[in-house]
Amino acid sequence: MKNLYLLITLFILVACGPKNLFDGTYEGYVSGNELNIVIQADKLTMSGDIPSDVNCSLEDPTTTITAFSCEEFELSGPASIDGDTLTLSPEGEEVGIFERIK
């Protein structure tokens, strides 16, 4: 019986644990280029009016403010989510504001 209680507690902790606040598909414009962003777990992928997709990662997608980094293009900076609005602020680049579409 003790094991049953432990198992139930484990299921509750998993169900109520941290959620990825960033998951979804977003679109917006940066420097006149339309960009689409897909976030799943800690993976962030940018595509659109750019030569090739840019793969990035989120440091902690369970908090409203975190950091992102794209090693391939040496982009990094703060990322934040406020409702359905994603803001990426890469160091030395224009801030991108994107709206969730899915």
Side-chain angles (χ1 to χ4, degrees):
M1 193 67 163
K2 183 191 272 185
N3 288 337
L4 178 61
Y5 290 128
L6 289 174
L7 187 59
I8 291 170
T9 303
L10 178 64
F11 284 129
I12 290 171
L13 288 174
V14 169
C16 298
K19 303 281 187 237
N20 183 338
L21 303 173
F22 290 82
D23 271 355
T25 302
Y26 303 83
E27 64 181 17
Y29 291 87
V30 177
S31 300
N33 295 317
E34 181 178 1
L35 292 179
N36 298 311
I37 295 180
V38 176
I39 299 176
Q40 294 177 328
D42 65 344
K43 305 294 183 217
L44 182 153
T45 303
M46 291 185 231
S47 62
D49 294 343
I50 52 178
S52 64
D53 289 358
V54 178
N55 296 310
C56 308
S57 62
L58 292 174
E59 188 174 291
D60 182 2
T62 64
T63 61
T64 58
I65 299 173
T66 189
F68 78 97
S69 62
C70 313
E71 291 181 20
E72 185 177 340
F73 291 91
E74 297 182 14
L75 286 174
S76 64
S80 63
I81 191 80
D82 183 12
D84 286 333
T85 303
L86 169 68
T87 304
L88 300 177
S89 306
E91 296 170 6
E93 301 290 332
E94 186 176 331
V95 173
I97 300 175
F98 305 90
E99 294 297 322
R100 189 185 318 251
I101 57 174
K102 292 182 188 175

